[in-house]
Amino acid sequence: MSIEIHTLAPVAMFVYNRLSLTKKTIAHLQKNELANQTPLYIFSDGGKDEKSWKKVHELRKYLHSITGFKEVHIIERPENFHLAKNITEGIKSVLAEYDRIIVVEDDICTSPVFLQYMNQALEKYAEVKQVMHIAGFTNLDIPQRGDTYFTRHMACWGWATWKDRWQSFILYPSRDEALAGMSQDELNRIEYDGAFRCLHTLDMQPITWAIRWEIAIYKQKGLCLSPTHTLTRNIGLKYGVHFNNWRIFGWYEWDRPFRIQPIELRDVPLEEDPTIEAMNAIALKDHGMRYNLLGKIARYFYLKVKKCL
């Protein structure tokens, strides 16, 4: 189903000091068919110390050489905002000018059809308020179910939303305020009955933006459109805040090539599919980590120690 795109969404990209990853992310975006018609806003976070500032300055020098987009706007933070504040403030500033937005971080390589899919989905569901989030990533690989499906689960490795949906986003200062009004059944569902333990991030300071958005979607009974095979690939988990020695302890099930064929946006029922949700529970278990023998042993003792704390 071909959808006429009336308004191309701007891309907001968030970077810190990882030059090699940023270059790869930009290179993949530039290969998108709609790149030269798309405004790009890059929010460059400031350094934490002299060493990190050196890398930040090196990265910013590269940012000013970027071409291949309709416009390139570089916003250089004068201090270290931290990822959550950089993203939420950046989204807020872009949505002050536009009614929709596509978001990527500095370690998300996108398919050549990523921008086309995002813009068509943003157009198709612009007036369907229940749809709050368009995901480019999925843990699943189920092309036999068509090209897209709906879920309550928010995948944030390349995503999009609208200004009016983002207004539901709240900067909850504490776990209690974030979970206020949610039933135990809802809490079980958001964690897939313990398979995907994401609510522990509410104990972090600052609380991650992603869990706040996930909760906002649940509270609004919103839906997320996802492709049945991923359109993005995260190349940064070994380097960033999600550091994990996955080559030693196992592998990530989702670490696979992205789809390069265009997405066909057929009408999909505006509801969760219980069969797909059951697949999600399996795919999200241990955040997609599939441990080898060494990993299983290390995890066993880690959980033992954690239980005693």
Side-chain angles (χ1 to χ4, degrees):
M1 178 181 177
S2 179
I3 297 171
E4 186 177 353
I5 302 170
H6 300 289
T7 304
L8 282 180
V11 171
M13 182 176 173
F14 299 90
V15 305
Y16 178 39
N17 64 0
R18 303 188 294 181
L19 179 58
S20 62
L21 298 186
T22 300
K23 284 183 174 180
K24 290 178 182 177
T25 297
I26 289 292
H28 279 79
L29 269 178
Q30 287 169 329
K31 292 175 184 176
N32 271 257
E33 181 182 339
L34 299 177
N36 63 0
Q37 303 171 54
T38 300
L40 175 63
Y41 290 77
I42 305 176
F43 294 86
S44 171
D45 204 0
K48 298 176 182 177
D49 50 34
E50 186 177 344
K51 183 178 180 180
S52 59
W53 265 114
K54 184 177 180 180
K55 290 184 177 181
V56 168
H57 289 313
E58 187 178 342
L59 181 140
R60 287 179 177 177
K61 182 178 179 181
Y62 159 72
L63 295 181
H64 287 278
S65 72
I66 292 173
T67 59
F69 301 91
K70 181 181 179 182
E71 308 161 0
V72 179
H73 304 271
I74 301 168
I75 298 87
E76 299 179 351
R77 306 297 194 190
E79 58 187 0
N80 185 255
F81 271 36
H82 192 273
L83 180 63
K85 183 179 178 183
N86 193 27
I87 287 180
T88 55
E89 290 291 319
I91 291 174
K92 180 181 177 181
S93 67
V94 172
L95 289 180
E97 299 182 43
Y98 297 87
D99 69 344
R100 59 195 65 186
I101 189 172
I102 298 168
V103 180
V104 295
E105 295 178 44
D106 64 356
D107 54 6
I108 304 300
C109 288
T110 54
S111 163
V113 301
F114 173 78
L115 290 180
Q116 181 185 36
Y117 159 70
M118 285 289 170
N119 279 286
Q120 287 189 335
L122 285 167
E123 196 72 44
K124 180 177 176 65
Y125 294 104
E127 301 304 322
V128 185
K129 307 303 182 184
Q130 188 182 3
V131 181
M132 297 180 65
H133 180 96
I134 310 295
F137 172 78
T138 176
N139 285 76
L140 301 181
D141 188 5
I142 49 172
Q144 68 275 15
R145 301 300 295 260
D147 283 2
T148 58
Y149 67 94
F150 280 112
T151 177
R152 289 280 186 90
H153 173 62
M154 181 279 302
C156 61
W157 293 344
W159 59 281
T161 192
W162 300 262
K163 182 177 183 175
D164 59 351
R165 276 57 147 204
W166 186 252
Q167 289 173 351
S168 298
F169 179 84
I170 298 174
L171 288 167
Y172 299 108
S174 69
R175 166 185 278 268
D176 289 344
E177 290 184 60
L179 301 182
M182 296 186 72
S183 67
Q184 187 58 52
D185 180 60
E186 287 175 312
L187 299 182
N188 291 340
R189 287 181 66 196
I190 202 170
E191 290 199 317
Y192 286 88
D193 292 318
F196 179 57
R197 297 198 175 278
C198 58
L199 293 179
H200 75 280
T201 57
L202 291 169
D203 298 320
M204 299 171 64
Q205 285 299 327
I207 298 174
T208 66
W209 71 269
I211 191 60
R212 290 163 166 163
W213 183 223
E214 181 107 351
I215 289 171
I217 292 169
Y218 266 78
K219 286 189 174 183
Q220 296 295 319
K221 298 187 177 357
L223 290 171
C224 307
L225 183 73
S226 296
T228 54
H229 183 90
T230 186
L231 294 177
T232 69
R233 187 177 186 183
N234 188 311
I235 58 170
L237 286 194
K238 302 188 295 298
Y239 305 91
V241 295
H242 303 288
F243 176 83
N244 196 316
N245 290 305
W246 59 282
R247 292 186 186 277
I248 299 175
F249 296 121
W251 65 94
Y252 281 112
E253 189 176 58
W254 48 258
D255 192 22
R256 59 188 185 275
F258 46 63
R259 171 180 174 144
I260 59 173
Q261 297 81 16
I263 295 283
E264 187 173 354
L265 284 177
R266 295 181 178 177
D267 291 332
V268 181
L270 286 166
E271 59 187 15
E272 294 174 282
D273 183 320
T275 304
I276 291 179
E277 290 307 300
M279 294 178 187
N280 253 332
I282 296 171
L284 289 166
K285 183 175 173 57
D286 297 325
H287 296 269
M289 183 70 177
R290 301 296 171 249
Y291 296 96
N292 57 25
L293 180 59
L294 178 61
K296 290 177 181 177
I297 293 172
R299 182 168 172 77
Y300 171 80
F301 285 106
Y302 165 74
L303 293 175
K304 277 280 199 182
V305 171
K306 186 178 179 181
K307 201 171 184 180
C308 294
L309 295 177

